[in-house]
Amino acid sequence: SQQGEEDPQALSIQEGENATMNCSYKTSINNLQWYRQNSGRGLVHLILIRSNEREKHSGRLRVTLDTSKKSSSLLITASRAADTASYFCATGGGSNYKLTFGKGTLLTVNP
Amino acid sequence: DVKVTQSSRYLVKRTGEKVFLECVQDMDHENMFWYRQDPGLGLRLIYFSYDVKMKEKGDIPEGYSVSREKKERFSLILESASTNQTSMYLCASRGERTFTDTQYFGPGTRLTVL
C-alpha cells in the first residue's frame, strides 16, 4: 500500500532558484523522512521530522510537517545542478520499523 | 562511515534461473530490507529481517525468498526468475539502537531477466 505521495512528479528549475516538493500521506505517523536518489543509485537519507515537530532545517534543506493535513514539504534553497535527483518521502515507525515510500519527485536543476 | 554493499550492480539472467542477490552491511544493524523499484511504482518492500534467521513478508513477497544466516548478510533469492522480475533491487539496513527509522541503502542491483 502506498502511503506517501509526492507532488509534483517532475520539477525543472534554474540553478539558484528554490525547489519545493510536497508529500501527502494517509494514516497517522511517527515520523516522516526525505531521501534523495541520484540516477541509477541507492537512496540517501536527507532529513527526518518527527510527528511532534513542525519544521526542521538542515543546511539548504527545510522540511515542514502538518499532521492535521497529513502533508509535508521539502524546500531546497539556492539549488545547484548537483541537486538534480529524485526525492522521496517515506513514512514509518511502529513496531516493525517498516518505511513506506512515495513514488518520488524528479528534480532537474539546469545550469 | 555507514556502508551497505550489494554483490552486483548489473545482472542478466534467463527465465527459470535461480538468482541470488547478496547484501552486506558493516554497521552491526539488526534490521535489513529488500525493495524493488519500478518506474511509476516507486519502492516496494519485498521482505525484511529484524534478526538473524528471522524474516517477515513485505508488500510483494510472491516469487521471492530470503535468507539471513549472519547478522551482516541478507540474501534475496528468486527461485525461478521471470521477466516480470526485471527491476532495480535495493537493499537497506537500520539499527535498533539509533532510535530513528533512518534506513541506509546499498547502490542497487539492476536485474534483467530475459
Side-chain angles (χ1 to χ4, degrees):
Chain A
S1 58
Q2 211 71 32
Q3 170 74 304
E5 292 287 340
E6 291 89 346
D7 169 57
Q9 290 186 2
L11 180 61
S12 182
I13 60 173
Q14 295 299 122
E15 221 168 14
E17 293 180 342
N18 295 342
T20 299
M21 289 157 271
N22 303 296
C23 170
S24 59
Y25 57 92
K26 297 190 173 87
T27 61
S28 59
I29 58 172
N30 292 331
N31 63 68
L32 187 143
Q33 305 179 45
W34 285 91
Y35 288 79
R36 185 183 78 192
Q37 183 181 35
N38 289 85
S39 179
R41 311 292 295 186
L43 277 72
V44 175
H45 178 257
L46 293 176
I47 194 165
L48 179 151
I49 186 165
R50 300 188 189 284
S51 58
N52 61 355
E53 297 176 310
R54 291 296 166 258
E55 188 171 312
K56 201 161 183 180
H57 296 255
S58 176
R60 293 184 296 113
L61 305 180
R62 173 179 166 248
V63 170
T64 61
L65 180 64
D66 187 336
T67 52
S68 67
K69 295 181 179 177
K70 292 188 169 57
S71 68
S72 173
S73 68
L74 171 67
L75 169 68
I76 303 174
T77 60
S79 63
R80 306 166 182 166
D83 294 328
T84 294
S86 291
Y87 291 83
F88 295 86
C89 67
T91 53
S95 59
N96 58 18
Y97 312 114
K98 286 169 55 178
L99 287 181
T100 302
F101 289 83
K103 295 177 184 178
T105 292
L106 175 60
L107 172 66
T108 303
V109 181
N110 301 299
Chain B
D1 207 11
V2 165
K3 193 140 188 189
V4 179
T5 57
Q6 295 183 227
S7 50
S8 306
R9 288 299 317 280
Y10 300 94
L11 208 52
V12 180
K13 295 291 181 181
R14 298 229 171 254
T15 301
E17 278 193 77
K18 190 168 186 175
V19 181
F20 292 87
L21 302 183
E22 304 284 338
C23 175
V24 177
Q25 49 95 1
D26 66 356
M27 298 160 285
D28 200 35
H29 281 172
E30 291 76 12
N31 304 295
M32 296 186 75
F33 307 81
W34 275 106
Y35 297 88
R36 65 177 281 177
Q37 183 178 24
D38 301 287
L41 297 176
L43 275 79
R44 294 179 291 168
L45 181 65
I46 305 171
Y47 265 99
F48 68 101
S49 168
Y50 50 90
D51 202 350
V52 175
K53 297 192 187 295
M54 306 304 287
K55 60 186 180 186
E56 279 200 29
K57 293 179 180 179
D59 299 319
I60 51 163
E62 297 79 18
Y64 303 94
S65 62
V66 290
S67 171
R68 188 142 180 230
E69 296 297 318
K70 292 185 178 181
K71 191 176 186 181
E72 68 270 18
R73 189 179 297 269
F74 191 34
S75 302
L76 180 69
I77 302 154
L78 287 66
E79 294 289 342
S80 178
S82 63
T83 55
N84 63 13
Q85 293 178 309
T86 291
S87 185
M88 172 73 127
Y89 289 88
L90 293 164
C91 173
S93 73
R94 175 200 173 277
E96 289 279 333
R97 289 181 292 275
T98 59
F99 299 109
T100 74
D101 292 314
T102 300
Q103 293 187 11
Y104 298 89
F105 282 81
T109 295
R110 188 165 293 282
L111 171 68
T112 302
V113 182
L114 302 175

